[in-house]
């Protein structure tokens, strides 16, 4: 072990050290290393993680503009998630957009004692009368599960009463160990209640869905532009810039592309089982990854005209990207970065840093699973613990009327020529030897990482931002992008290069000096009992 890992573990009580040891791996891309992930956070440690409700309501359903996402719970759960994720949307003239609102039943003590179902029904009626939405989703917060309100029976009753699509989510904050459980719950309910509700006739020659792209800072818009130019019909994005209707006919696609594997692999798998739609992993973060992903889609369809268009787009855009890269790279090359973000981004953004010659010395996810680190090959070996068993695993069967035997045949023949489906390799094989991979990093570990590596940029979220900056290290939020973005696709890469130049090609951070370095306000020592 490196001195750093030893140093970190040495300060922990014995049991904690034993547990954290398995979540920290000194990477060797050529070895099959195992990392511990998706387990409970140690109580009292300052984790980066959020809750199951956040993963369900905020992440997966939040970006769909015309569903009323009604939170059943105390007002804080809505208020603190209100517009903070920066997922954008572009409604057509006259189309509904409820994303700027925060809908909540505003539970009070009285509802906790006597039950909140009546209040929930009233809130649904009120929302219906005011907005006449096509659908309403009900999201359970912690107290709902504790007092036993049945959001699903309320949803059934209100669906019968109002005649619109209404469905509930048992996504109480404590339901799983992190946001990740909320993704799974969201995937299940959207698949059961939305996907397949509308057999819209075919419109395009090449019909696809983009799964796990949430339009943070306008990322989805960048990808949509490329598809449109290439003549690829994007039916539905789950869920950036989406509508409920687009999800209803998403089962008529010829291909599913998975961007964020962690949050949406469940729907990709279920769509393949039920409808025979194959899925591939794509990544539109990084110019080279974007070009590679576009070419992979063109290869799937095997159409000469499409391939020529995609090649032309890539060539034209790469010329623009390279011009900026050549200007920026000499100024930032060789600098050190580290990134600790929820799921996919701690992996995807390594491609952008790689393009600038910035070295990623340490990275990790808040809540991803072993397959996101080690690749999907480990899925059969992942131990299913009680916390995971707590989340419903849907049993899906073939829909004979809609099943695409032609796509299954296409997949088989492409696989024979070496084309890879469901091929997520994970983060660790792509990271440098001896880089430090850490799952569910905590505040103490963050401090030690900064002291040890003295990184030039730290990528994480709002909770980490100001503490890290007070160490004299700039922090780039890879969740909300601070006020910036888009960073996806070619134009996004250009934006990101310029942002890195702005943040890294300056001496200002070296001047940060905190008063407590010289005059601590309190001095003391602490002993932690094992
Ligand atoms: Fe997927 Fe996301 Fe991420 Fe995620 Fe998130 Fe997010 Fe994230 Mo914040 S879906 S896992 S639950 S890429 S909200 S858009 S930035 S933690 S790395
Ligand atoms: C969430 C949402 C979040 C939080 C970001 C942050 C996001 O997990 O509930 O901690 O800065 O991207 O908005 O991940």
């Amino acid at each position: 072990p490196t001195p750093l890992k030893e140093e970190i573990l040495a300060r922990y009580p014995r049991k904690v050290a034993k547990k954290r040891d398995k979540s920290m791996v000194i990477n060797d891309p050529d070895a099959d290393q195992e990392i511990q992930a998706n387990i409970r956070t140690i109580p009292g440690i300052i984790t980066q993680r959020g809750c199951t409700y956040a993963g369900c309501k905020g992440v997966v359903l939040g970006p769909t503009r015309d569903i009323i996402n009604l939170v059943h719970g105390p007002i804080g759960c809505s208020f603190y998630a209100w517009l903070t994720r920066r997922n954008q949307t572009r409604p057509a003239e006259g189309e509904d957009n409820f994303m700027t609102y925060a809908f909540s039943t505003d539970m009070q003590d009285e509802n906790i004692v006597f039950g909140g179902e009546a209040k929930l029904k009233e809130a649904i009626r009120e929302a219906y009368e005011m907005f006449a939405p096509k659908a309403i989703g009900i999201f359970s917060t912690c107290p709902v599960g504790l007092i036993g309100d049945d959001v699903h029976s309320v949803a059934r009753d209100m669906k019968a009463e109002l005649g619109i699509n209404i469905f509930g989510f048992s996504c109480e904050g404590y339901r799983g160990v992190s946001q990740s459980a909320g993704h799974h719950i969201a995937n299940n309910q959207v698949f059961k209640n939305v996907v397949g509700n509308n057999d819209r006739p075919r419109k395009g020659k090449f019909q696809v869905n983009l799964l796990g792209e949430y339009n943070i800072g306008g990322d989805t818009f960048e990808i949509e532009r490329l598809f449109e130019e290439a003549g690829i019909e994007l039916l539905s994005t789950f869920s950036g810039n989406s509508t409920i209707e687009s999800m209803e006919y998403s089962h008529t696609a010829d291909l599913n592309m998975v961007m964020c594997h962690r949050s949406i692999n469940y729907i990709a798998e279920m769509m393949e089982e039920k409808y025979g739609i194959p899925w591939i992993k794509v990544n539109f973060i990084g110019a080279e990854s974007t070009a590679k992903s576009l070419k992979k889609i063109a290869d799937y369809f095997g159409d000469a005209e499409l391939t020529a268009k995609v090649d032309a787009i890539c060539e034209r855009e790469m010329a623009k990207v390279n011009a900026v890269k050549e200007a920026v790279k000499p100024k930032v090359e060789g600098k050190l970065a580290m990134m600790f973000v929820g799921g996919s981004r701690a992996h995807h953004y390594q491609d952008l840093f790689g393009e600038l010659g910035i070295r990623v010395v340490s990275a990790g996810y808040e809540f991803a699973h072993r397959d996101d680190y080690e690749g999907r090959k480990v899925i059969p070996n992942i131990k299913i613990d009680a916390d995971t068993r707590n989340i419903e695993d849907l049993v899906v069967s073939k829909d004979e009327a809609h099943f695409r035997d032609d796509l299954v045949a296409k997949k088989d023949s492409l696989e024979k020529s070496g084309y890879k489906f469901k091929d997520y390799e994970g983060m660790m094989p792509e990271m440098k030897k001896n880089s430090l991979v850490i799952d569910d990093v905590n505040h103490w570990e963050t401090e030690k990482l900064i002291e040890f590596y003295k990184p030039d940029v730290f990528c994480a979220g709002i909770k980490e931002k100001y503490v890290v900056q007070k160490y004299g290290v700039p922090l780039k939020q890879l969740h909300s992008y601070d006020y910036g973005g888009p960073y996806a696709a070619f134009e996004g890469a250009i934006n990101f290069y310029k942002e890195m130049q702005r943040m890294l090609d300056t001496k200002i951070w070296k001047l940060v000096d905190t008063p407590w370095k010289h005059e601590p306000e309190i001095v003391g020592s602490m002993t932690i009992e094992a």
Side-chain angles (χ1 to χ4, degrees), residues 323-472:
V324 180
K325 190 168 88 177
E326 272 156 36
V328 173
K329 197 171 173 178
K331 298 183 170 136
V332 297
E333 202 169 6
K335 304 239 182 209
L336 306 186
M338 44 182 70
M339 52 201 73
F340 294 92
V341 207
S344 317
R345 292 182 175 188
H347 181 196
H348 288 163
Y349 275 81
Q350 296 197 22
D351 292 0
L352 264 177
F353 281 108
E355 288 171 3
L356 290 175
I358 296 172
R359 200 150 63 87
V360 178
V361 286
S362 185
Y365 302 122
E366 279 171 45
F367 50 69
H369 299 196
R370 274 184 61 201
D371 36 319
D372 303 291
Y373 285 104
E374 302 168 54
R376 283 180 62 89
K377 63 177 191 298
V378 304
I379 290 177
N381 312 328
I382 295 178
K383 222 172 54 228
I384 309 290
D385 63 8
D387 289 315
T388 302
R389 252 192 292 275
N390 200 19
I391 314 300
E392 185 188 14
D393 203 17
L394 285 191
V395 183
V396 176
S397 54
K398 197 167 159 176
D399 177 339
E400 297 292 349
H402 295 93
F403 197 83
R404 297 282 302 274
D405 289 310
D406 61 323
L407 298 181
V408 176
K410 188 180 181 62
K411 180 183 170 197
D412 284 348
S413 91
L414 278 168
E415 266 179 338
K416 286 197 186 94
S417 61
Y419 191 99
K420 292 238 168 63
F421 292 91
K422 315 183 180 213
D423 66 335
Y424 189 39
E425 302 275 341
M427 174 206 274
M428 282 161 57
E430 289 186 0
M431 283 186 69
K432 291 244 163 10
K433 196 174 161 82
N434 292 332
S435 51
L436 189 53
V437 183
I438 308 182
D439 183 65
D440 187 17
V441 77
N442 58 57
H443 184 76
W444 155 249
E445 290 162 8
T446 300
E447 283 187 16
K448 297 312 278 183
L449 283 166
I450 291 172
E451 279 167 23
F452 184 86
Y453 287 110
K454 300 182 177 52
D456 298 288
V457 61
F458 195 103
C459 302
I462 191 64
K463 299 188 292 299
E464 297 76 40
K465 186 171 177 90
Y466 301 102
V467 180
V468 170
Q469 290 190 163
K470 283 171 186 166
Y471 272 91

Side-chain angles (χ1 to χ4, degrees), residues 68 70 72 120 124 136-140 151 154-155 166-169:
I68 284 192
L70 174 58
H72 189 29
L120 174 60
I124 293 170
I136 299 179
I138 308 162
F139 297 86
S140 307
V151 299
V154 169
I166 302 181
F167 41 93
F169 297 84

Side-chain angles (χ1 to χ4, degrees), residues 59 85 183 214 216 260 263 341-345 366-367 478-479:
V59 173
R85 191 159 165 256
H183 302 148
Y214 301 95
I216 312 304
C260 169
S263 62
V341 207
S344 317
R345 292 182 175 188
E366 279 171 45
F367 50 69
L478 286 191
H479 298 263

Side-chain angles (χ1 to χ4, degrees), residues 33-188:
Q33 290 171 300
E34 185 175 328
I35 187 161
Q36 172 179 261
N38 191 33
I39 59 148
R40 292 185 190 189
T41 298
I42 295 160
I45 252 176
I46 306 176
T47 173
Q48 292 183 310
R49 277 180 173 173
C51 68
T52 299
Y53 152 82
C56 182
K57 187 264 173 190
V59 173
V60 180
L61 272 299
T64 307
R65 64 176 165 261
D66 58 354
I67 302 183
I68 284 192
N69 290 325
L70 174 58
V71 177
H72 189 29
I75 194 63
C77 303
S78 292
F79 185 78
Y80 290 103
W82 190 7
L83 295 178
T84 53
R85 191 159 165 256
R86 295 190 73 240
N87 44 264
Q88 301 184 2
T89 201
R90 203 176 268 157
E93 188 70 32
E95 227 183 34
D96 284 337
N97 176 17
F98 304 127
M99 266 162 45
T100 50
Y101 294 87
F103 295 97
S104 169
T105 53
D106 184 21
M107 255 187 174
Q108 302 294 321
D109 301 1
E110 189 189 304
N111 311 121
I112 303 286
V113 176
F114 299 106
E117 290 180 12
K119 192 168 195 193
L120 174 60
K121 284 187 175 173
E122 271 316 301
I124 293 170
R125 284 189 196 104
E126 190 183 336
Y128 179 75
E129 275 161 27
M130 288 177 79
F131 298 99
K134 296 187 186 92
I136 299 179
I138 308 162
F139 297 86
S140 307
T141 57
C142 294
V144 171
L146 296 175
I147 66 175
D149 273 4
D150 185 348
V151 299
H152 304 286
S153 85
V154 169
R156 271 193 303 275
D157 290 353
M158 295 312 292
K159 189 174 174 175
E161 183 180 316
L162 302 174
I164 57 165
N165 196 3
I166 302 181
F167 41 93
F169 297 84
S170 291
C171 57
E172 290 85 352
Y174 61 78
R175 180 69 66 171
V177 302
S178 69
Q179 290 97 313
S180 170
H183 302 148
H184 197 165
I185 293 163
N187 278 235
N188 286 350

